[in-house]
Amino acid sequence: MDGTLFQTDNILELALDDAFEKLRSMKYWTGETPIAAYREIMGAPLPKVWETLLPEHSMEVREQTDAYFLERLIENIKLGKGALYPNVKETFEYLTSNDYSIYIASNGLTAYLQAIVDYYHLDHWVTETFSIQQIDSLNKSDLVKTIKENYNIQKGVVVGDRLSDINAAKDNGFLAIGCNFDFAQVDELVHADVVINELLELKTVLSR
């Protein structure tokens, strides 16, 4: 979802600023909001995000921050402050009209993912959305394996912007398509089977 279908940048800084402003008001944080540090780990499960951004803070503070951050993200989505990447719906329409099934496998939390799906009516094309919350290991490869087994998928493609997506494809015997979008990193994309710069390129890649 993030960095592949949804332009998280549009709401990320707003929600992160809100979360760290609350920490500052509670005397748990001084200084600027660590936007740059978050960008480096974008796509990681949120528990790992807070371990990184708040290494000296208690689990209770991390959990409170996580809950408030999620609340602010969802509110911003509902207010229409987010955006899909260009041609998401057009690409989905092409895929479903050519008998592809679409599943979302994300490190985002269930409520957050559902807010995006609902606001943009993605369930018109997407068969099911899966959250890392459903997997005890918090491992994207295990999440994709769950989808593969639940739907008895023999051939598939994983499209994503981070190494966890590429590894999830390869660990499950699927084609790995890397998205050279906002949060992508060159040293990770080199492991993909194919790299695209825009979602509509999937039409050409898959037709091969």
Side-chain angles (χ1 to χ4, degrees), residues 38-52:
Y38 186 89
R39 286 176 180 274
E40 290 181 10
I41 54 173
M42 181 67 191
L46 280 173
K48 297 189 181 301
V49 167
W50 302 118
E51 283 177 23
T52 303

Side-chain angles (χ1 to χ4, degrees), residues 42-201:
M42 181 67 191
L46 280 173
K48 297 189 181 301
V49 167
W50 302 118
E51 283 177 23
T52 303
L53 298 185
L54 302 172
E56 306 300 325
H57 294 70
S58 68
M59 184 62 69
E60 181 182 6
V61 170
R62 290 178 192 169
E63 289 176 352
Q64 290 175 351
T65 305
D66 184 37
Y68 186 68
F69 178 66
L70 178 64
E71 178 186 313
R72 298 310 305 151
L73 282 174
I74 291 173
E75 183 64 21
N76 286 322
I77 291 165
K78 291 180 177 179
L79 290 172
K81 294 183 178 180
L84 298 177
Y85 278 97
N87 300 315
V88 167
K89 292 184 177 181
E90 291 83 351
T91 302
F92 279 5
E93 188 64 37
Y94 168 82
L95 292 172
T96 54
S97 65
N98 282 274
D99 297 324
Y100 286 95
S101 297
I102 302 170
Y103 310 88
I104 294 174
S106 174
N107 282 339
L109 300 183
T110 302
Y112 164 74
L113 298 173
Q114 194 60 51
I116 298 172
V117 168
D118 289 346
Y119 188 85
Y120 296 101
H121 307 292
L122 296 183
D123 53 1
H124 178 73
W125 303 276
V126 176
T127 301
E128 189 172 351
T129 298
F130 291 79
S131 165
I132 202 70
Q133 273 187 297
Q134 298 167 244
I135 301 297
D136 291 338
S137 67
L138 299 180
N139 185 298
K140 180 69 74 69
S141 294
D142 293 338
L143 186 60
V144 170
K145 182 181 179 183
T146 295
I147 300 172
K148 179 181 179 181
E149 292 178 348
N150 285 2
Y151 286 93
N152 192 29
I153 300 171
Q154 304 302 315
K155 292 178 65 177
V157 175
V158 178
V159 183
D161 64 323
R162 300 309 303 266
L163 186 60
S164 61
D165 304 309
I166 295 168
N167 287 340
K170 299 197 170 187
D171 289 344
N172 286 283
F174 292 162
L175 185 73
I177 299 182
C179 296
N180 188 22
F181 297 172
D182 294 327
F183 301 106
Q185 297 183 14
V186 175
D187 61 333
E188 295 183 357
L189 290 177
V190 297
H191 299 287
D193 297 309
V194 181
V195 175
I196 59 174
N197 296 296
E198 207 276 334
L199 277 174
L200 274 180
E201 291 180 41

